[in-house]
Amino acid sequence: MPLSTTFRRHLSLPRRIICASVATGLTVSVLFIVITLLLVCQRRHEQHDRLASDTQAYMLNAFTILTQKLSPLQALTPDDCAAAKADLTQRAAFAGNVRTIMLVENRIAFCSSATGFVHKDIRQFSPHSDLHKAVDIQLVASTPKVADRPALIFWRQNPHHQERGVLALMNINLSPYLLLIARQKAVTDMAIVAGDQALRLTDERLTKASLLPTHPLRTLTVPGYPVSILLYGTLLSLSDLLITLLLGSLLALLSGCGCFLLLTHRRRPGKEILLGIRRGDFYVEYQPLIESTTGQPYGVEALLRWTHPTVGTVSPEAFIRYAEGQNLIAPLTRHLFELVARDAHQLRDTLPEGIRIGLNLSPLHLTDGEFCEDVRRWLSAMPQDHFCYVFEITESAMVSDRNAGAIFEWLHEQGIGIAIDDFGTGHSALIYLEKFKFDYLKIDRGFVQSIGRETVTSPVLDAVITLAKKLKLKTIAEGVEDEKQARWLIKRGVTHLQGYLYSPPLRVPQLIDYFASAARTAGQRDFSARRQEA
């Protein structure tokens, strides 16, 4: 019989599992990438703020030291140049990055640290310097002594004589700034702006400040000095993006595979069966067997049922086939033994002594090394000396197990009867009926349904019943649904009947009511018979 569509749809979902795994991988990857990039951006913001603060502190410190060195020179006059030249030269040498220090009055430099007395208009090399300001800084492309390198012109006005002051021509040393931005992956350039001129780290030539790229990362000024610094770059570098995407892809693969393995493990039928056992999803229904001569209950067949918490009822054919395929039929049968033993203690007070309980066994369980121990354990758990037992075994068990004869003999020694289940639908090897000792032969419902119709199975049913009589086997016809089938079977000597005509499979409370009702009916029948005899 094909697998249940419901069971296959809900418990084996490779396409849904794959889709769920892909979705999980993508979701985890996107979340990782987004969160990582946000954290990187936040870290970059903090690094840029730190870089701006360090750069600002460095320049402020440099200008402050220069101011301190130049301040004593403010008191010198043109008459003092000869005496002050040595001091000027010394201060220029130890000031760091200073090309020349000049003393200025009325825009004329009258004393230089390089040449001593001089007479030069500063507009010749720094036309944009504003000497009316207390402090002015300009960038120039060259100076008289160094024509191929830009310089910074630093003006400091004499606080007491506005026409006097000190002018320093300075080399622009970019090494400290390069070191500062080298630690920042996302900072690609820096510009020093003074007036309308700018000098970029990536270009040794001056450029117009208006031509600088817009939207710098940071714009900072040096307090007290007319100079600003612009930082350029991006929040995220190319390496940041590539590494994050690579890690995100790897995480997507790992999380997707992990999700697939987890869902496959949780969704596989074997896992569901074990979870069902632990959750208590399985239960037993009992279908009465009727003795054809008296119409009274002769026994019950224990039928394992499964109600899944999300799927609902799962057909026995489906989950038993899956249990066999997953090598879980032995633990499933052990669970059946436990459930029957538990129910038997409730049924003992209602079901008459000697009533038969039949259980279906899989051929795979018969070959299990712990089969005999499982049966012993079950028998010890059942109420003692109250029930009789019958194991229903398919023909395939006789074919698949070379030790079938020894197992059957051992079962008989334990007082357990053996019924051939669904005889005639499998291998139908008559030699097994002569080779092994059986107690019952069960007629498949498919043969019973053919009663009254001319089908290819009709002659087979007659042959099966005739064969059972010759071998002195009791016969059980399952799937009896109407009186016509029952009369036909009774007429041909079938000893026991089972089917919805008499009762559907019942839970324990319903089974108790069924046997109580059967007992009352039997009592009334005996009373009527005695009255007729009187």
Side-chain angles (χ1 to χ4, degrees):
M1 180 177 289
L3 296 180
S4 166
T5 302
T6 301
F7 187 77
R8 183 173 62 251
R9 183 190 309 122
H10 289 275
L11 300 185
S12 181
L13 305 173
R15 186 174 301 177
R16 292 188 180 182
I17 289 176
I18 291 174
C19 292
S21 301
V22 171
T24 300
L26 291 177
T27 301
V28 171
S29 176
V30 170
L31 288 175
F32 171 80
I33 291 173
V34 171
I35 293 174
T36 300
L37 292 181
L38 288 175
L39 292 176
V40 170
C41 288
Q42 181 180 359
R43 184 180 178 184
R44 289 287 183 268
H45 274 294
E46 295 173 353
Q47 290 175 342
H48 295 160
D49 291 339
R50 192 179 308 114
L51 174 62
S53 176
D54 292 345
T55 304
Q56 184 183 56
Y58 175 81
M59 294 197 71
L60 179 60
N61 182 65
F63 288 139
T64 301
I65 293 176
L66 180 61
T67 300
Q68 292 173 352
K69 289 183 177 295
L70 298 181
S71 294
L73 301 176
Q74 295 287 2
L76 297 178
T77 65
D79 297 335
D80 300 324
C81 182
K85 181 183 180 303
D87 186 31
L88 282 175
T89 302
Q90 183 181 13
R91 290 180 182 273
F94 291 100
N97 296 320
V98 174
R99 296 184 185 179
T100 306
I101 297 176
M102 295 182 177
L103 301 180
V104 179
E105 184 175 2
N106 295 324
R107 292 186 175 274
I108 303 297
F110 61 86
C111 192
S112 169
S113 62
T115 61
F117 180 78
V118 68
H119 188 276
K120 182 176 293 187
D121 191 337
I122 66 171
R123 286 176 291 187
Q124 295 178 7
F125 55 86
S126 182
H128 301 292
S129 292
D130 189 353
L131 304 187
H132 295 93
K133 293 181 178 179
V135 177
D136 186 59
I137 297 175
Q138 295 293 329
L139 291 172
V140 294
S142 63
T143 58
K145 299 295 183 180
V146 183
D148 59 342
R149 290 168 57 188
L152 185 145
I153 308 298
F154 183 87
W155 163 254
R156 186 73 179 181
Q157 187 184 58
N158 189 317
H160 304 292
H161 299 83
Q162 296 183 358
E163 299 300 325
R164 293 182 183 177
V166 181
L167 192 71
L169 283 65
M170 303 178 62
N171 294 316
I172 302 177
N173 183 12
L174 301 180
S175 298
Y177 306 104
L178 290 172
L179 291 175
L180 286 172
I181 69 171
R183 295 176 294 176
Q184 311 296 328
K185 294 181 179 180
V187 176
T188 58
D189 197 6
M190 177 185 291
I192 301 174
V193 180
D196 62 348
Q197 298 293 316
L199 179 64
R200 300 175 61 177
L201 297 185
T202 56
D203 191 352
E204 295 183 355
R205 297 171 299 176
L206 293 183
T207 184
K208 291 289 186 181
S210 59
L211 299 179
L212 291 174
T214 57
H215 307 297
L217 289 176
R218 294 289 186 277
T219 300
L220 55 114
T221 60
V222 181
Y225 300 93
V227 65
S228 58
I229 300 173
L230 306 181
L231 300 179
Y232 291 98
T234 59
L235 286 175
L236 298 171
S237 66
L238 181 60
S239 62
D240 292 330
L241 293 174
L242 292 177
I243 292 175
T244 303
L245 290 176
L246 179 61
L247 293 176
S249 301
L250 180 61
L251 187 60
L253 180 62
L254 293 176
S255 58
C257 291
C259 179
F260 179 82
L261 293 175
L262 178 62
L263 292 179
T264 301
H265 181 68
R266 290 182 59 85
R267 285 289 186 180
R268 70 181 186 186
K271 182 67 175 180
E272 284 294 323
I273 288 175
L274 293 177
L275 288 175
I277 292 175
R278 285 197 286 265
R279 288 192 303 254
D281 296 343
F282 290 94
Y283 60 94
V284 180
E285 290 183 337
Y286 301 87
Q287 188 169 32
L289 278 68
I290 305 302
E291 191 171 15
S292 59
T293 56
T294 65
Q296 290 300 304
Y298 175 80
V300 294
E301 180 182 1
L303 303 170
L304 188 62
R305 296 291 187 255
W306 184 13
T307 300
H308 193 275
T310 57
V311 176
T313 301
V314 182
S315 72
E317 293 86 353
F319 71 75
I320 290 175
R321 182 77 61 83
Y322 270 105
E324 290 176 337
Q326 297 292 323
N327 294 323
L328 290 174
I329 195 64
L332 188 61
T333 306
R334 294 186 192 108
H335 189 53
L336 171 63
F337 285 163
E338 294 173 358
L339 295 176
V340 171
R342 182 192 63 188
D343 294 343
H345 288 277
Q346 300 183 51
L347 297 172
R348 177 177 53 186
D349 297 333
T350 303
L351 273 62
E353 185 177 343
I355 202 79
R356 281 155 178 76
I357 297 180
L359 287 83
N360 287 279
L361 294 186
S362 169
L364 296 178
H365 191 200
L366 290 177
T367 61
D368 188 273
E370 298 183 8
F371 172 73
C372 293
E373 183 60 31
D374 292 339
V375 174
R376 291 192 189 96
R377 191 181 301 111
W378 175 62
L379 292 176
S380 64
M382 293 291 291
Q384 300 300 309
D385 302 326
H386 189 86
F387 296 100
C388 295
Y389 310 111
V390 177
F391 283 172
E392 299 180 10
I393 302 170
T394 60
E395 296 174 65
S396 58
M398 297 175 277
V399 178
S400 61
D401 189 5
R402 296 180 180 179
N403 298 321
I407 294 176
F408 295 159
E409 183 178 351
W410 182 84
L411 289 175
H412 279 128
E413 291 175 357
Q414 308 305 311
I416 300 174
I418 302 175
I420 305 177
D421 194 14
D422 299 336
F423 183 80
T425 62
H427 299 84
S428 300
L430 300 180
I431 187 175
Y432 296 124
L433 296 179
E434 298 178 355
K435 182 177 180 180
F436 304 120
K437 179 183 177 182
F438 300 109
D439 304 288
Y440 298 88
L441 188 151
K442 292 200 72 173
I443 301 171
D444 183 73
R445 67 179 65 249
F447 292 123
V448 175
Q449 297 304 314
S450 69
I451 294 175
R453 294 180 292 175
E454 292 297 330
T455 64
V456 293
T457 59
S458 299
V460 178
L461 177 57
D462 287 323
V464 169
I465 295 174
T466 302
L467 178 63
K469 288 180 180 179
K470 289 182 179 181
L471 296 175
K472 297 181 180 180
L473 295 176
K474 296 177 182 180
T475 50
I476 303 173
E478 59 181 359
V480 181
E481 297 181 356
D482 55 50
E483 293 288 351
K484 181 179 179 180
Q485 296 171 348
R487 288 194 299 268
W488 192 95
L489 294 166
I490 294 172
K491 183 178 179 180
R492 281 160 176 76
V494 175
T495 58
H496 300 90
L497 307 174
Q498 177 183 357
Y500 275 75
L501 174 63
Y502 303 101
S503 174
L506 304 172
R507 298 292 293 269
V508 170
Q510 299 169 322
L511 186 65
I512 292 175
D513 294 340
Y514 175 86
F515 271 86
S517 176
R520 289 193 298 270
T521 302
Q524 292 175 358
R525 187 183 298 113
D526 292 341
F527 178 73
S528 299
R530 287 194 299 269
R531 287 191 59 183
Q532 291 176 1
E533 292 176 359

